[in-house]
Amino acid sequence: MSEKNSEGKRTARERLIQEREAQKSRDKRRRVLIVGAAVVGVLGLAAVAGVVAANSGGGKGDKASGNGPVKDPAGTVGKGNVAIPVGMTDAPSVLTVYEDLRCPACGMFENTMRDTVNKLEREGKIRAEYHLVSFIDNAMQGTGSKYAANALGCAQDAGKFHGYHDVLFRNQPQEADDAFGQKSRLLELAQKVPGLRGSTFDACVDDGAHAGWVTKVQEDFSNSKYKATPTVLLNGESIFPQKGSEQITPANLVKWVDVANRGKRVGRVPASASASASASASAPGPGAASASAPGSGAASVSPSPAGGAGVAGAPGAAGTAGAVGARE
């Protein structure tokens, strides 16, 4: 009887030892998983930081961007003619947008805020100025950001920036998919914009006519204090992802613009009107260069059917602004 009791106690002790060893093994695996997850998180942050860092060198010396003569799209504005304007020249507020056509956060912002931004432009409350940067090509490899920015410059020449800008963001590929690096795809999407396709536009896209300008825009961004896309500023103040303690939303953007414009008159003068007046007053005679000629720096805007204005005769207000993914 005592031998049976002794055997039973020994078996129980062995089971207890085995259970403790098993628990130690489980604890060890759990610690490994926790440490592994932390490492993955750090690598993820490093990857994000790497893309932001890629911005600082974005495009210099890149053959895809073009190193030849710089040809600015029609009506570009700002120091160095690096921005494409949309809206009334005398709008009381300016929305400055830095965006990359491959940036998924830019796409999300565009597709969420587009209607609100367009409405504010039509009402003459804001003028948007778009900086088409291209650093994601360096971070993810490819040429889609540069080729798409060049194609938008070509659309600007044709007075179709607004429509084509919206089409590209509505059909934006995944960030790692360099679909915009295929000029045939850019031309295919241009067919969705009435009146855009033609020999002049197609040649501009195929030849990379504005590739030097694309490089210039990226270099300007690299030398700025902004390191992410999209970056969105209202009258020079960052409003993405928030302004003060308020998150950016369509309703908040309208509120912020209304506060900024309080007591100010809404814009009513399309850029084309002021440019024509200036040109007639200063032109020495017939044949003088138009104020809206490519590279002049003057915006060329004509009223849209909805009462707004689009750059270089665009049918309506611009696509929209961005402000989240510059760290893409």
Side-chain angles (χ1 to χ4, degrees), residues 89 268-280 299-303:
T89 56
R268 299 179 184 278
V269 182
S272 57
S274 60
S276 298
S278 174
S280 349
S300 174
V301 184
S302 62

Side-chain angles (χ1 to χ4, degrees), residues 97-114 136 165-166 168-173 175 180 229-230 240 319-326 328:
V97 182
Y98 293 84
E99 59 188 6
D100 189 309
L101 271 294
R102 289 181 69 180
C103 163
C106 297
M108 291 176 63
F109 186 88
E110 285 285 345
N111 295 326
T112 300
M113 303 295 292
R114 177 182 297 114
I136 289 180
H165 178 267
D166 286 359
L168 290 184
F169 272 113
R170 286 192 177 109
N171 293 273
Q172 185 187 54
E175 184 180 26
F180 286 169
T229 56
F240 184 89
T320 104
V324 180
E328 304 300 83

